Amino acid sequence: AEQCCVSLSVNPSRGLMDEKFIILVQKALPGFQLTIHASYHCEDGNSWEAFAHYTADAGGTVNVSQDTSLGGTYSGVEAMGLLWSLRPVPGSKPGLRLRKKNVQTPMEVTISVYQGHQTEGFVDQVPLASVLVERWYMAPGVCRIPITEEGLTATLFVPAGNGPFPGLLDLWGGGGPLVEYRAALLASHGIASLALNYLTPKTTMETGKMVDNQYFEKAYKFLQQHPQICDSRIAMLGLSLGSAFTLKMAVYSQVMKLRCVVCIGGSHVQPVDGSVEQVLGYMEKNSEKTRFTENNEMIWRDLLLPIPTDPSFKVDVGRLKCPLMLVVSEDDQNWPAPESAKDMKEMMERAGNSHLLTVLSYPNAGHLIEPPYTPHVRISMFRTVVMALWGGQMVEHSRAQEDAWKKILIFLRENLYDSTKPGATTLSHL
């Protein structure tokens, strides 16, 4: 009863997905042991939780951004641990991945304080205090516009304000449907971003035919012609399979004049004159190189190995004319990103354009480098049929996501805005 007046605050209680918050517990007894718990009910009906054990200081206070967690789903001083260590509650089905489908509503996380150092049974207890926290991909004023013209299946996110804004074409990997949350978050940072569905767009669903490479050029032209987008300041970002087409279009397209390119967990290995269907076919042809863990999780990284010497099977990055950032996870079990990055670097050094290359490499990070504080999943259900092993260790992977996002935003800003500061990236070719 003496603990009934514990107070809990989270600041800001409403913020962007990549914003840090401060969790403060006050008015506890000095030395009081408590558990801070986070719970999230996903749109797919699954529940996730994280928790950590703390001891109140002499003033009866716990500040999560300064104090040490003594145990739980993470330990040590971790300001955002209650988000990045979220995991499916006990008894959940295996292979879950936390992904926000509807970016027009916030991720609502309940932060609660419980008495004592607890590890289970949270649902059956009454917390001493609780706060509902809203985490948004869309900042106030960002517009979400579904795009169907020109045969495109895409969603455009336009930043708040009048513009004109720099633009970005955002490609995800082989999972299929349209993924919007990264484009929404980029627009929240001032870049008009088009999330493009290139594997299961309406035209493919209706005709059974996969899109050709002109589909990407149509998306680029759509951005170029948009009244709120600056037509000479467009970038492209691809993850996984998306990076294959990002690299291909950046090097070979006569139409796309990109300011810069970001590739996360990808490779230049592919039939260089191949369509989407042919790139997938090339991988399919190597499917006997798939490995399995003892739990039957699939490891696909060998499908593109060894890196070919035949130039018709890798994008000639030596011809690239715009800055390229590669985000590489050294424990990527899905794509041979480290080997590919090494080969791309060598190709660019030989061609004399390696000054355009930035490589971010993260030990013990897995394939899925997502926006900050997204919970790490080492394994998840892929296309509802197989378990894919992505790799990575939770703490290092979480650090990598935070660091990479910060550096991606800086790289995009430096290349998409005219910069006057000395030593900034100069864009003489434009």
Side-chain angles (χ1 to χ4, degrees):
E2 64 225 347
Q3 275 310 326
C4 64
C5 56
V6 165
S7 80
L8 168 68
S9 67
V10 182
N11 195 21
S13 60
R14 175 182 291 155
L16 284 178
M17 274 300 194
D18 56 356
E19 249 181 291
K20 280 193 158 84
F21 52 41
I22 290 175
I23 300 175
L24 204 56
V25 179
Q26 291 169 300
K27 298 187 189 157
L29 292 174
F32 181 68
Q33 292 193 330
L34 53 90
T35 301
I36 305 182
H37 180 271
S39 73
Y40 173 59
H41 300 291
C42 207
E43 293 152 329
D44 60 15
N46 293 295
S47 295
W48 295 65
E49 70 173 359
F51 56 89
H53 301 153
Y54 292 93
T55 303
D57 67 11
T61 298
V62 171
N63 181 337
V64 171
S65 59
Q66 294 169 4
D67 297 339
T68 301
S69 161
L70 306 167
T73 50
Y74 66 91
S75 55
V77 180
E78 297 290 352
M80 302 304 289
L82 285 164
L83 287 188
W84 58 247
S85 73
L86 281 167
R87 62 187 191 191
V89 297
S92 300
K93 66 175 190 228
L96 296 177
R97 179 174 170 193
L98 203 163
R99 304 190 88 179
K100 191 96 178 67
K101 296 269 192 300
N102 178 4
V103 295
Q104 295 176 287
T105 60
M107 174 181 178
E108 294 185 327
V109 181
T110 305
I111 308 287
S112 306
V113 181
Y114 293 89
Q115 186 164 342
H117 287 170
Q118 319 232 17
T119 55
E120 57 189 14
F122 294 102
V123 278
D124 308 321
Q125 298 180 53
V126 179
L128 301 172
S130 278
V131 171
L132 187 67
V133 178
E134 289 186 6
R135 307 286 293 174
W136 288 84
Y137 285 107
M138 281 174 76
V142 170
C143 280
R144 176 185 176 275
I145 307 160
I147 304 300
T148 53
E149 52 253 54
E150 291 297 320
L152 297 170
T153 298
T155 307
L156 177 65
F157 292 91
V158 181
N162 301 325
F165 304 104
L168 179 140
L169 187 53
D170 184 16
L171 303 187
W172 282 82
L178 193 58
V179 179
E180 296 186 351
Y181 54 84
R182 187 170 60 198
L185 193 54
L186 286 166
S188 299
H189 287 283
I191 300 167
S193 299
L194 184 73
L196 181 68
N197 181 344
Y198 60 95
L199 283 179
T200 57
K202 191 159 175 275
T203 114
T204 298
M205 302 320 273
E206 286 172 356
T207 64
K209 283 209 273 294
M210 299 204 85
V211 300
D212 55 22
N213 293 334
Q214 282 75 51
Y215 183 78
F216 302 109
E217 295 180 335
K218 277 185 195 160
Y220 171 84
K221 282 190 225 159
F222 170 81
L223 282 172
Q224 252 197 332
Q225 288 156 10
H226 193 281
Q228 282 179 283
I229 295 173
C230 184
D231 62 4
S232 65
R233 299 170 191 273
I234 297 173
M236 197 162 168
L237 185 161
L239 175 131
S240 194
L241 182 65
S243 68
F245 302 106
T246 298
L247 287 167
K248 169 174 277 169
M249 301 315 289
V251 171
Y252 300 113
S253 171
Q254 299 298 302
V255 173
M256 297 170 75
K257 301 278 181 268
L258 298 165
R259 273 284 174 112
C260 64
V261 168
V262 178
C263 292
I264 304 171
S267 177
H268 59 323
V269 177
Q270 55 179 290
V272 293
D273 48 7
S275 62
V276 174
E277 191 162 18
Q278 286 160 331
V279 171
L280 290 170
Y282 174 75
M283 297 177 72
E284 193 65 40
K285 196 178 88 237
N286 292 332
S287 61
E288 80 282 351
K289 295 185 186 175
T290 304
R291 285 184 286 135
F292 293 89
T293 66
E294 57 277 11
N295 300 324
N296 235 16
E297 297 135 6
M298 298 179 114
I299 299 173
W300 280 316
R301 67 185 326 279
D302 297 355
L303 265 54
L304 300 178
L305 293 175
I307 303 282
T309 47
D310 181 344
S312 62
F313 286 103
K314 50 189 189 182
V315 172
D316 185 3
V317 287
R319 287 172 50 179
L320 203 59
K321 292 186 171 64
C322 70
L324 164 65
M325 174 175 271
L326 299 176
V327 180
V328 177
S329 298
E330 294 175 24
D331 188 35
D332 192 329
Q333 297 299 317
N334 197 251
W335 278 70
E339 294 91 334
S340 300
K342 183 172 175 287
D343 191 63
M344 283 189 261
K345 184 169 191 273
E346 286 166 11
M347 288 171 74
M348 291 176 77
E349 278 165 357
R350 284 198 297 274
N353 66 343
S354 63
H355 61 287
L356 294 171
L357 178 65
T358 306
V359 181
L360 306 179
S361 195
Y362 298 102
N364 294 319
H367 181 61
L368 300 172
I369 298 285
E370 300 250 37
Y373 321 127
T374 304
H376 167 238
V377 285
R378 194 175 156 73
I379 302 145
S380 76
M381 188 58 88
F382 183 69
R383 289 192 181 166
T384 69
V385 282
V386 294
M387 282 291 183
L389 179 68
W390 309 113
Q393 300 298 325
M394 179 176 71
V395 175
E396 291 96 322
H397 186 88
S398 301
R399 299 253 191 288
Q401 289 189 149
E402 196 173 342
D403 187 73
W405 182 251
K406 188 176 75 203
K407 288 173 180 165
I408 288 168
L409 288 178
I410 291 169
F411 176 79
L412 290 173
R413 284 188 192 123
E414 279 183 352
N415 289 297
L416 289 172
Y417 296 90
D418 277 340
S419 202
T420 47
K421 64 179 192 292
T425 318
T426 52
L427 294 155
S428 52
H429 66 280
L430 292 165

